[in-house]
Amino acid sequence: MSSAADEGGDDIVDVAVGVLIDERGRFLLTSRPAGKVYAGWWEFPGGKLEGGESVVAALARELHEELGIDVDEAYPWHVTRMDYAHARVRLHFCKVLAWRGELQMREGQAMAWQTLPVTVAPVLPGTLPVLDWFAAEQGFIGATCIAEEGAATLKR
């Protein structure tokens, strides 16, 4: 697991993030639902850790709540920090290789199975490092996002 340099601070929100990878090597991106900050932006699914919860337990809970699936196999992959205008978050990315159940978009979000380069946009900046990690693992060279709107700046 890798970690970005991390200054201390109680105002950092820990978030468990699931990188679901299917049998064809595609990964799942979901859009942020209406009514949430950055609605319509694409990201990997997940959510905040609750008090005393492990990253994997939080991830399993969040994926069940958001997608209606039960996680069978997940392991920590990378950790990075992202400072958004509304929050500072520590993103705990986990690869999810096995789950049970049919994907259900329980929050009204959209979903898209993707490979590199990603074709959905705009992509939330916290998602972009994952695309770089995939590129490094796969020896992929080139832009990881096709759409120009996938740039790492937040537009309001």
Side-chain angles (χ1 to χ4, degrees):
M1 196 160 35
S2 72
S3 178
D6 207 21
E7 301 85 46
D10 295 334
D11 60 342
I12 295 177
V13 177
D14 284 293
V15 176
V17 185
V19 181
L20 280 74
I21 302 172
D22 74 4
E23 66 282 347
R24 294 171 46 194
R26 301 176 303 171
F27 50 87
L28 182 73
L29 290 177
T30 58
S31 64
R32 292 191 53 82
K36 289 199 175 181
V37 177
Y38 308 118
W41 287 71
W42 291 86
E43 66 178 353
F44 292 95
K48 297 176 191 170
L49 275 70
E50 294 180 355
E53 205 173 30
S54 72
V55 170
V56 173
L59 181 63
R61 177 184 49 76
E62 286 286 344
L63 294 182
H64 183 76
E65 290 173 4
E66 291 180 21
L67 306 179
I69 61 171
D70 294 311
V71 174
D72 287 331
E73 183 183 346
Y75 65 89
W77 185 31
H78 288 281
V79 178
T80 191
R81 202 183 84 203
M82 186 65 55
D83 294 338
Y84 290 106
H86 73 288
R88 296 171 60 204
V89 295
R90 185 179 303 115
L91 301 167
H92 299 263
F93 291 97
C94 298
K95 282 190 177 180
V96 181
L97 303 177
W99 59 90
R100 285 173 281 121
E102 290 291 318
L103 291 168
Q104 306 164 32
M105 300 298 107
R106 292 181 166 179
E107 296 182 339
Q109 71 274 43
M111 63 171 266
W113 287 104
Q114 296 284 291
T115 58
L116 295 176
V118 167
T119 58
V120 294
V123 175
L124 206 59
T127 297
L128 297 174
V130 180
L131 304 180
D132 293 338
W133 301 330
F134 274 133
E137 282 184 359
Q138 299 170 7
F140 180 87
I141 297 173
T144 57
C145 288
I146 285 182
E148 303 252 339
E149 303 89 83
T153 57
L154 294 179
K155 302 171 190 161
R156 291 204 177 241

